């Protein structure tokens, strides 16, 4: 029975661990993994030449430097060791005893997962579904042993700590929450916010003296409401207001420069055009801005995988880039997405076949209603399937 003692350590194969502490340890492991593999992630993104490469992990991994490959293997091994040690204790708690056969089978499935990305896609998906179901089971299944422990309100989730993080931490003398300043700049920020929510009541109860448990609960309930309103209502309004002010200010400055001194506005417009054209290079292989036509060349495989909405957005982006490019070439003349849509064409980069164009089937009357205008606008986008991929 000594083997089934409560063991909430970060690493350990002996004993049992409850759902909450198991989840906290997994979140800490995810933080370590995310931060340690940032160089690897950056390298994978740098090796992506097309959108289809995102699903070709073998190609991306083979293009990485050897040191990054070794670092990825090392980080994966360490994180898997930590992960499995927690899975074994969680299974012990669920089964109410040590079952080495079940522990070994489940552990091997999770160990095999990182290497599964090199398997055919159907097998990868099947294994992914199995792992996902197992993960939910381990996280949600009530333990045979810890499920009988008495209720402890300090172990419940604190929504105020989740939404308020460091601000909540200052109110409750829980200065560990200040780590969110660093982790919030990375994808690991959400993991740490969840940890703050899971550990919030425990930290706050220990760090301050409370007259009674009831006053503690009431205080945390009030803070939860305050921080939910702050995070979900007030802060989005503030952020949106700042963005709108900056956007209108920027537009006002550009308009003023263009009207007062076109020569001064030209360098600014060139910088904007350069940024948009550079962004376009992610989607298009090349482009040509000719007198009567804007030619954009795209990989047929990428185009075939786009939905109608994706194709429309891509086409609109090409027309906008063409307008800015023309404004660079011909200062003083006015161009916009509206003027460039009819002469923008998207071609197959492999055989130059037409894949997209904007052609109005009939002119719109001045008395046309909004529905007719919208219908004409959408039917003007003509998209074709590539014959060569």
């Amino acid at each position: 029975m000594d083997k089934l003692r409560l063991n909430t350590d970060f690493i350990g194969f002996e004993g049992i661990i409850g759902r909450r502490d198991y989840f906290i340890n997994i979140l800490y492991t995810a933080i370590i993994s995310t931060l340690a593999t940032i160089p690897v992630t950056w390298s994978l993104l740098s090796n992506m030449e097309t959108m289809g490469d995102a699903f070709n992990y073998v190609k991306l991994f083979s293009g990485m430097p050897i040191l990054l490959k070794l670092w990825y293997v090392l980080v994966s091994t360490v994180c898997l060791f930590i992960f499995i040690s927690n899975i074994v204790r969680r299974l012990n708690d669920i089964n109410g005893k040590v079952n080495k056969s079940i522990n070994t089978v489940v552990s091997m499935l999770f160990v095999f997962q990182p290497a599964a990305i090199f398997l055919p896609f159907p097998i990868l998906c099947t294994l992914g579904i199995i792992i996902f179901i197992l993960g939910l089971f381990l996280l949600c299944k009530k333990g045979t042993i810890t499920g009988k422990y008495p209720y402890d309100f300090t172990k419940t989730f604190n929504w105020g700590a989740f939404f308020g993080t460091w601000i909540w931490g200052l109110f409750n003398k829980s200065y560990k929450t200040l780590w969110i300043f660093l982790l919030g700049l990375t994808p690991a920020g959400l993991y740490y916010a969840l940890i703050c929510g899971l550990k919030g009541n425990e930290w706050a109860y220990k760090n301050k003296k409370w007259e009674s448990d009831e006053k503690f609960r009431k205080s945390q309930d009030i803070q939860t409401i305050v921080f939910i309103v702050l995070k979900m209502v007030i802060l989005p309004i503030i952020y949106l207001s700042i963005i709108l002010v900056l956007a209108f200010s920027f537009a006002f400055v550009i308009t003023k420069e263009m009207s007062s001194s076109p020569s001064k506005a030209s360098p600014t417009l060139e910088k904007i055009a350069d940024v948009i054209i550079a962004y376009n290079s992610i989607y298009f292989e090349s482009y040509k801005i000719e007198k009567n036509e804007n030619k954009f060349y795209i990989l047929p495989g990428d185009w075939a995988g786009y939905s109608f909405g994706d194709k429309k957005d891509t086409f609109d982006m090409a027309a906008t880039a063409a307008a800015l490019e023309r404004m660079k070439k011909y200062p003083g003349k006015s161009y916009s997405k509206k003027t460039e849509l009819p002469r923008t064409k998207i071609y197959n980069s492999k055989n130059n076949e037409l894949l997209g164009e904007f052609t109005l089937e009939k002119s719109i009357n001045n008395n046309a209603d909004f529905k007719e205008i919208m219908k004409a606008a959408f039917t003007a986008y003509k998209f074709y399937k590539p014959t060569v991929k």
Side-chain angles (χ1 to χ4, degrees):
M1 199 68 181
D2 181 55
K3 286 186 178 181
L4 296 181
R5 70 188 188 283
L6 183 65
N7 180 6
T8 61
D9 293 342
F10 187 49
I11 304 175
F13 288 87
E14 299 294 329
I16 59 172
I17 189 169
R19 292 177 293 181
R20 170 182 172 271
D21 294 308
Y22 166 78
F23 190 34
I24 290 171
N25 286 351
I26 297 306
L27 288 172
Y28 276 123
T29 307
I31 290 174
I32 294 171
S33 174
T34 300
L35 297 179
T37 55
I38 285 177
V40 176
T41 304
W42 182 260
S43 176
L44 293 177
L45 292 174
S46 300
N47 289 333
M48 283 182 57
E49 297 177 353
T50 67
M51 298 298 290
D53 286 344
F55 303 97
N56 192 349
Y57 193 81
V58 176
K59 176 185 175 182
L60 297 178
F61 188 80
S62 62
M64 280 199 307
I66 185 64
L67 289 178
L68 276 183
K69 291 179 182 176
L70 293 174
W71 176 249
Y72 174 77
V73 172
L74 176 62
V75 171
S76 299
T77 302
V78 172
C79 290
L80 272 173
F81 180 79
I82 299 170
F83 193 39
I84 297 303
S85 74
N86 281 274
I87 288 176
V88 168
R89 282 176 287 161
R90 185 83 266 272
L91 287 170
N92 291 344
D93 182 34
I94 292 171
N95 294 321
K97 61 181 180 180
V98 178
N99 189 321
K100 292 184 177 180
S101 298
I102 293 178
N103 291 353
T104 302
V105 171
V106 175
S107 298
M108 288 305 297
L109 280 172
F110 282 94
V111 167
F112 186 64
Q113 186 187 17
I117 54 178
F118 299 103
L119 296 174
F121 190 71
I123 299 177
L124 174 62
C125 288
T126 303
L127 183 62
I129 293 171
I130 294 172
I131 294 295
F132 178 74
I133 294 172
L134 274 175
L136 283 179
F137 175 78
L138 292 170
L139 187 61
C140 300
K141 178 65 176 176
K142 195 173 183 179
T144 301
I145 299 175
T146 59
K148 297 177 181 179
Y149 286 2
Y151 173 78
D152 185 351
F153 67 90
T154 66
K155 301 297 174 69
T156 57
F157 196 86
N158 188 314
W159 288 101
F162 173 73
F163 285 108
T165 55
W166 67 273
I167 306 176
W168 174 93
L170 294 178
F171 275 104
N172 294 275
K173 297 182 179 180
S174 301
Y175 304 118
K176 294 177 182 179
T177 56
L178 294 175
W179 279 106
I180 198 69
F181 279 117
L182 294 176
L183 295 175
L185 301 173
T186 72
L190 176 60
Y191 302 144
Y192 195 68
L194 285 169
I195 290 172
C196 290
L198 290 163
K199 299 281 285 185
N201 281 332
E202 185 179 340
W203 291 340
Y205 194 75
K206 289 180 180 179
N207 293 337
K208 292 178 69 176
K209 291 183 178 180
W210 300 92
E211 294 182 14
S212 66
D213 293 349
E214 186 60 32
K215 286 195 173 183
F216 170 79
R217 291 195 191 96
K218 193 171 290 185
S219 170
Q220 294 305 315
D221 288 342
I222 293 172
Q223 290 182 53
T224 294
I225 295 172
V226 170
F227 286 114
I228 287 177
V229 172
L230 179 67
K231 189 85 171 184
M232 305 300 290
V233 180
I234 298 176
L235 285 180
I237 292 175
I238 293 174
Y239 293 151
L240 181 61
S241 300
I242 292 173
I243 292 171
L244 289 175
V245 168
L246 291 174
F248 281 117
S249 300
F250 181 75
F252 175 76
V253 170
I254 294 297
T255 305
K256 188 176 180 181
E257 285 186 358
M258 290 180 67
S259 59
S260 61
S261 179
S263 61
K264 290 182 179 179
S266 181
T268 305
L269 289 172
E270 286 187 13
K271 290 178 181 178
I272 296 172
D274 289 342
V275 170
I276 293 180
I277 291 295
Y279 183 71
N280 273 1
S281 65
I282 300 174
Y283 295 89
F284 300 107
E285 296 296 290
S286 61
Y287 69 95
K288 294 178 183 178
I289 306 300
E290 299 178 348
K291 183 178 180 180
N292 297 316
E293 187 176 353
N294 309 315
K295 297 180 179 180
F296 287 81
Y297 298 89
I298 193 169
L299 286 171
D302 292 347
W303 182 259
Y306 290 167
S307 64
F308 178 85
D310 294 334
K311 291 175 180 176
K312 179 182 176 299
D313 291 340
T314 304
F315 196 93
D316 289 344
M317 184 170 56
T320 302
L324 290 169
E325 187 71 16
R326 288 186 182 278
M327 291 176 76
K328 284 173 59 179
K329 286 185 175 182
Y330 312 108
K333 291 188 177 182
S334 179
Y335 297 95
S336 66
K337 184 183 81 171
K338 181 180 178 181
T339 64
E340 299 311 303
L341 278 174
R343 52 187 170 196
T344 298
K345 303 286 177 65
I346 294 181
Y347 292 97
N348 188 329
S349 61
K350 292 189 176 180
N351 66 349
N352 294 325
E353 67 178 328
L354 182 63
L355 297 179
E357 61 181 335
F358 185 90
T359 306
L360 285 171
E361 294 180 354
K362 59 180 181 179
S363 60
I364 303 174
N365 297 325
N366 293 332
N367 297 325
D369 58 22
F370 179 77
K371 185 177 179 181
E372 289 178 324
I373 295 173
M374 289 300 296
K375 183 179 178 181
F378 274 91
T379 55
Y381 289 93
K382 311 293 184 185
F383 301 137
Y384 313 109
K385 291 183 180 180
T387 58
V388 175
K389 294 183 181 181

